[in-house]
Amino acid sequence: MRETPDIRETSDVRETPGLRETPDIRETSDVRETPGLRETPDIRETSDVRETPGLRETPDVRDRRDLDVLLRRFYGAAFADPLIGPFFTRIAGTDLEVHLPRIADFWERALFRTADYGRDAFAPHAALHEARPLTAAHFGRWVQLWHAAVDGLHRGPLAERAKAQGERIALAMMRRLAGPGAATGGTGGGFVPLAALELRSVA
């Protein structure tokens, strides 16, 4: 009979066949990736944020350049509109390239107080009204298209101011042309022209 070594004193521990020592998960750094899975970054730590398809940031109206784009978009639709387009194209014979810088001065002054606009905005509309009466339906269509053009490009306080200012201008013009008691209801019961719907979505 021979002395059996104390298990606490011997270091000669032989591996049981078929088994091997399992490393402590806290001490090993050899972590293998499970096939088909990969580490997901913490959403608070990653800066690789991708834009959701179909969505984009819509800025407020910021400067004269934004106004130029907005006004060209609006008047392009207004000239083509079957209700108010003839006032621009046939009656007034408006040259858009001449008209745009002038009207941009007006809106730059109205929104930013940075441009000098000294023209009489009422006189051209009075001349149009003399040639063919402007009604609530005409001014209503103008407002519809203006709202749609602004909404299609901009969101923010200045965009809202532009839309509100457009409504005030339309009402003031119509009442000055047709008198304080002029009907403002128009016709069509809320009809929105196709051009307005198209302007609400930016390509």
Side-chain angles (χ1 to χ4, degrees):
M1 190 171 182
R2 55 192 181 117
E3 187 178 352
T4 303
D6 191 326
I7 192 169
R8 293 169 298 181
E9 297 175 2
T10 182
S11 61
D12 186 17
V13 181
R14 293 177 174 80
E15 195 176 70
T16 305
L19 296 179
R20 63 186 180 85
E21 185 178 356
T22 303
D24 190 324
I25 194 169
R26 294 169 299 181
E27 297 176 2
T28 183
S29 62
D30 184 19
V31 180
R32 294 176 174 79
E33 194 175 70
T34 305
L37 296 179
R38 62 186 182 84
E39 185 180 355
T40 303
D42 190 323
I43 194 169
R44 295 167 299 182
E45 296 175 3
T46 182
S47 61
D48 185 18
V49 179
R50 293 177 174 82
E51 192 176 74
T52 304
L55 296 180
R56 66 180 187 83
E57 184 182 356
T58 307
D60 202 353
V61 186
R62 295 162 295 193
D63 50 30
R64 176 65 176 246
R65 184 170 56 183
D66 283 348
L67 281 176
D68 289 341
V69 173
L70 171 61
L71 290 167
R72 186 171 293 277
R73 182 175 173 80
F74 164 70
Y75 279 103
F79 275 39
D81 186 80
L83 182 60
I84 65 174
F87 283 92
F88 294 102
T89 57
R90 293 207 297 267
I91 299 173
T94 305
D95 183 338
L96 186 58
E97 297 308 317
V98 173
H99 182 64
L100 278 177
R102 296 171 181 171
I103 199 65
D105 283 346
F106 171 84
W107 281 107
E108 186 178 347
R109 181 174 177 80
L111 297 182
F112 306 121
R113 306 288 191 262
T114 55
D116 185 21
Y117 183 82
R119 294 175 177 273
D120 180 3
F122 177 73
H125 294 85
L128 288 175
H129 186 67
E130 189 70 25
R132 183 188 296 180
L134 289 162
T135 68
H138 297 120
F139 285 107
R141 179 62 59 88
W142 187 97
V143 169
Q144 286 177 328
L145 293 174
W146 178 242
H147 278 213
V150 174
D151 286 342
L153 293 173
H154 300 290
R155 296 282 189 281
L158 288 175
E160 293 304 313
R161 185 190 299 176
K163 291 190 292 184
Q165 181 77 351
E167 293 175 1
R168 287 193 294 269
I169 292 169
L171 286 171
M173 286 280 187
M174 192 190 70
R175 285 170 175 161
R176 192 172 172 186
L177 290 170
T184 59
T187 58
F191 167 71
V192 179
L194 178 62
L197 297 177
E198 291 173 341
L199 287 171
R200 290 187 188 280
S201 59
V202 180

